[in-house]
Amino acid sequence: MKKAPQINIGISEEHRAKIAEGLSRLLADSYTLYLMTHNFHWNVTGPMFNTLHTMFMAQYTEQWTALDQIAERIRALGFAAPGTYKEFVKLASIAEVEGQPKALDMVRHLVSAQEATARTARELFPIVDEANDQPTADLLTQRLDVHEKTAWMLRSLLED
């Protein structure tokens, strides 16, 4: 079997492994959030149907693109990206939602999941900073911006 070439990008293997591990958790949370959002898009009902259906579609479309960016960063660091439901369930901090909640409960679940995904991204910064890994820091900053803004927009729907 042919051995993979050494990776020499200025980040130690130990740091790359820790970053890839954290990014794998972020990928699992992001995938769980994606699936939840898509599920709610399909199944939302009620007076806010059109607004939520359209909003959820924009959100899951953005999340789909992000999944690829996170997985490709893991690969660039020299590690395999998780890609099965079994792995995602084990790594994710977000629990799946059972059944079909009412529209505003969907929004509440999504606020919680957006915030959880933001926390997972934020937890990575100390090791990323220590490793001097700017590409991962940039990715995390972009994801935090999206998740925090989306959580705010969703929370706005819950205000009287």
Side-chain angles (χ1 to χ4, degrees):
M1 181 153 113
K2 185 177 176 183
K3 187 176 179 180
Q6 291 290 333
I7 296 175
N8 184 10
I9 59 173
I11 302 173
S12 72
E13 184 170 353
E14 178 184 354
H15 280 137
R16 287 187 292 106
K18 287 180 184 176
I19 294 166
E21 183 180 303
L23 286 172
S24 293
R25 288 191 308 276
L26 179 61
L27 182 61
D29 275 357
S30 298
Y31 194 89
T32 304
L33 173 60
Y34 160 78
L35 191 58
M36 181 187 299
T37 307
H38 211 149
N39 173 31
F40 291 170
H41 164 78
W42 290 327
N43 292 297
V44 69
T45 59
M48 294 178 60
F49 169 80
N50 195 50
T51 300
L52 293 178
H53 185 75
T54 302
M55 178 186 273
F56 294 164
M57 184 169 71
Q59 291 172 6
Y60 79 69
T61 300
E62 188 283 330
Q63 291 160 2
W64 182 255
T65 301
L67 294 172
D68 208 45
Q69 294 167 341
I70 297 164
E72 287 180 355
R73 184 63 191 152
I74 294 167
R75 295 297 298 139
L77 292 169
F79 295 88
T84 65
Y85 289 117
K86 184 177 182 178
E87 289 174 299
F88 288 152
V89 167
K90 189 170 89 174
L91 292 166
S93 69
I94 302 167
E96 289 185 324
V97 176
E98 305 239 350
Q100 299 307 320
K102 298 284 186 193
L104 287 180
D105 288 332
M106 288 178 174
V107 172
R108 286 181 187 90
H109 284 295
L110 288 173
V111 167
S112 178
Q114 290 282 350
E115 290 175 347
T117 306
R119 287 190 305 272
T120 299
R122 194 175 305 284
E123 288 171 2
L124 270 164
F125 273 106
I127 187 65
V128 167
D129 289 344
E130 183 181 322
N132 199 28
D133 181 0
Q134 292 86 1
T136 300
D138 183 51
L139 174 64
L140 295 174
T141 301
Q142 290 174 40
R143 298 313 311 147
L144 279 168
D145 184 52
V146 168
H147 294 300
E148 290 175 359
K149 184 176 180 181
T150 303
W152 157 63
M153 290 182 172
L154 289 164
R155 271 192 309 275
S156 296
L157 294 169
L158 301 172
E159 294 178 6
D160 290 330

